[in-house]
């Protein structure tokens, strides 16, 4: 899909990876709905896009809330004429103290935002997408591809996003929608900076990587997933050394899809 002239909704678009992706898509000529809980940064992102000549609008929305999620998708249609791209990106980590010491409501919120809201977003977006073809990208994580002892609930939510993406792809592609996900390594964003500061305060410095990615590197991988019409039901892993498509495991008795 050529993003020029298309309309995209980006959740968590006020910060980090979401913001970098919003700015990249807008530079490429897409109109962007930025949906986020944080209004000040969302409005600032819209201003930055508009002053660079792009089109964007902010909506305050909690991706776990059905009405909010519906409103953010409808805004793309009402303001820009169609819903072509949904980037389900909003996310949080459990943080310290980790599971099982964390409060139950904290890790439930992680599952709600990082996994359930992705499922909800796909459910609501599919019938609204332009019948000529739509693209959904979900933000998973390398934590969803490998064991992640630092934050098992986060890892489980992200593994859920990866499997949901693989499993939903045949249904979606019958409706002319391509669903893919991106699995970043550690990226220099406020979410990670908060985590690193908390880990240092708690004396847990062993897991802090020496090399970390910049948000634009993830935005470029997301753009690749949107632009390449041959990709559906795929995960792309992004490390500081480069990006690679993950081989999709075949279920017993089924044919491999990659
Ligand atoms: N930074 C990393 O190293 C890294 C690595 C792998 C995956 N990820 C994933 O990338 C995504 C973006 O993370 P980031 O690092 O850019 O973090 P970030 O904190 O910079 O941005 C996340 C944004 O999501 C928003 N958000 C959180 N909960 C929300 C909700 N309920 N409704 C709407 N918006 C909400 C926040 O307000 C924030 O603006 C997340 O899904 C995260 O799990 C990040």
């Amino acid at each position: 899909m050529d993003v020029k002239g298309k309309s995209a909704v980006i959740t968590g678009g006020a910060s980090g990876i979401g913001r970098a992706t919003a700015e990249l898509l807008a530079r490429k000529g897409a109109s962007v709905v930025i949906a986020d809980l944080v209004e000040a940064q969302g409005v600032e992102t819209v201003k930055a896009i508009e002053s660079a000549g792009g089109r964007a609008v902010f909506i305050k929305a909690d991706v776990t809330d059905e009405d909010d999620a519906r409103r953010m998708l409808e805004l793309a249609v009402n303001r820009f004429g169609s819903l072509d791209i949904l980037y389900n990106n909003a996310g949080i980590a459990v943080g310290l103290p980790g599971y099982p010491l964390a409060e139950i409501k904290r890790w439930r919120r992680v599952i709600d935002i990082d996994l359930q809201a992705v499922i909800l977003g796909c459910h609501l977006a599919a019938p609204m997408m332009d019948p000529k073809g739509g693209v959904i990208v979900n933000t998973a994580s390398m934590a969803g591809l490998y064991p992640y002892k630092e934050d098992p609930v986060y890892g489980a939510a992200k593994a859920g996003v990866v499997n949901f993406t693989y499993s939903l792809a045949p249904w979606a592609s019958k409706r002319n929608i391509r669903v893919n996900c991106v699995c970043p390594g550690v990226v220099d964003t406020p979410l990670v900076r908060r985590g690193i500061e908390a880990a240092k305060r708690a004396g847990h410095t062993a897991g802090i990587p020496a090399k970390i990615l910049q948000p634009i590197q993830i935005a470029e991988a997301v753009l690749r997933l949107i632009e390449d019409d041959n990709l559906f039901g795929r995960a792309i892993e992004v490390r500081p050394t480069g990006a690679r498509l993950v081989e999709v495991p075949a279920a017993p008795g089924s044919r491999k899809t990659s």
Side-chain angles (χ1 to χ4, degrees), residues 79-251:
R79 185 68 66 94
F80 300 128
S82 61
L83 172 64
D84 307 295
I85 299 159
L86 169 62
Y87 180 27
N88 285 311
N89 164 74
I92 60 168
V94 172
L96 293 173
Y99 179 89
L101 299 177
E103 279 188 82
I104 290 174
K105 68 175 184 214
R106 176 67 188 174
W107 53 258
R108 283 196 167 148
R109 183 78 177 145
V110 172
I111 300 282
D112 277 352
I113 297 174
D114 292 8
L115 176 58
Q116 300 230 56
V118 172
I119 297 170
L120 177 65
C122 293
H123 167 78
L124 295 174
M128 282 190 222
M129 285 197 139
D130 195 297
K132 287 201 288 289
V135 177
I136 300 174
V137 179
N138 301 320
T139 297
S141 169
M142 277 178 64
L145 295 174
Y146 309 101
Y148 189 52
K149 66 176 168 30
E150 286 78 7
D151 192 338
V153 174
Y154 179 82
K158 295 300 189 179
V161 172
V162 174
N163 196 292
F164 179 68
T165 304
Y166 291 161
S167 305
L168 187 69
W171 178 89
S173 63
K174 279 192 200 126
R175 284 150 187 83
N176 221 7
I177 297 169
R178 291 188 298 104
V179 185
N180 295 291
C181 66
V182 64
C183 299
V186 182
V187 189
D188 184 13
T189 69
L191 180 140
V192 155
R193 272 179 248 134
R194 282 192 301 273
I196 289 178
E197 285 314 311
K200 281 183 181 162
R201 279 196 303 275
H204 302 159
T205 49
I208 300 174
K211 265 190 134 180
I212 65 176
L213 291 148
Q214 291 306 308
I216 185 66
Q217 293 174 273
I218 315 309
E220 282 163 356
V222 173
L223 182 66
R224 178 175 164 194
L225 291 173
I226 296 169
E227 286 183 332
D228 188 339
D229 292 328
N230 294 315
L231 297 178
F232 61 95
R234 299 301 301 269
I236 192 164
E237 178 181 343
V238 190
R239 299 183 186 210
T241 46
R244 71 166 186 106
L245 284 168
V246 177
E247 196 170 327
V248 184

